[in-house]
Amino acid sequence: MLLPQTPPQPNPQLLSFVRQMREDFTRFLMEYQFAVDEVLTKVSVLREEFLHLHRYNPIEHVNSRLKSPESILEKVARRGIHPSLPSIRENITDIAGVRITCSFIADTYRVLETLTSQDDVRLIQTKDYIANPKANGYKSLHAIIEIPVFLSTGPVPVIVELQIRTIAMDFWASLEHKIFYKYDREVPPHLVRELTEAAAAAEQLDRRMEQLHHEVHGVGQPTDRPEASIYDIDGALLQQLWHLAQQQPPPPGARELPGSSA
């Protein structure tokens, strides 16, 4: 008579490791998601400012992504990184990513400078693939930035990868990615040549469209006229404000309103 076999007992050390790692990795990924949210908020503020104060919006689209745990661990194994969260944080800089698509080439540099000049953003590295394209024709501005995420336990510095490119660059990069994915990176030589030629055509389109933009609007001139919004102030209210300014002097240190005789 066969006695029932006792099921193998789980390794208590393994269970403890899995339980702790699941909690720590969840917190780890949340920090990167919060960092993406912070960057998206900054970009949203810039879009509103450009549109309503400068009457020009250089930002066409914004996308973000967070690497999956599977993708992170695959990269850890492929690059021989120690599988600890501090080591992963130090050696992998593209866990969180934000891609900004701009109208023109000049806009990409303007947006990058505006974002990285903020006090709480630390610029770690910049790669200018617009001025120095990759061999296959890829163009984009890449920047590695560090931004604080404020948690209940205090601020945590988190790395985010920025990619800033024009619409034409983004279209080319999207097509190139699909082709490389389809052929598992073994792209036939004739397609590689055609991709390179398409990159040159995209560059010509970018520069021609920017030239037309300057011919029509001039360099640095407003081009967008936003619809009425909560930021629009009625003329009667402005006139009332002007009359009030004539009746009393401004407090010390305050800037006088235009046209005030006080």
Side-chain angles (χ1 to χ4, degrees), residues 116-130:
T116 56
S117 64
Q118 298 185 19
D119 292 340
D120 61 343
V121 176
R122 184 170 77 93
L123 178 61
I124 297 176
Q125 183 185 63
T126 304
K127 291 184 178 180
D128 188 349
Y129 293 118
I130 296 178

Side-chain angles (χ1 to χ4, degrees), residues 39-51:
V39 174
L40 292 179
T41 298
K42 289 179 176 296
V43 174
S44 177
V45 170
L46 285 179
R47 293 180 76 169
E48 289 293 311
E49 179 195 352
F50 277 123
L51 186 57

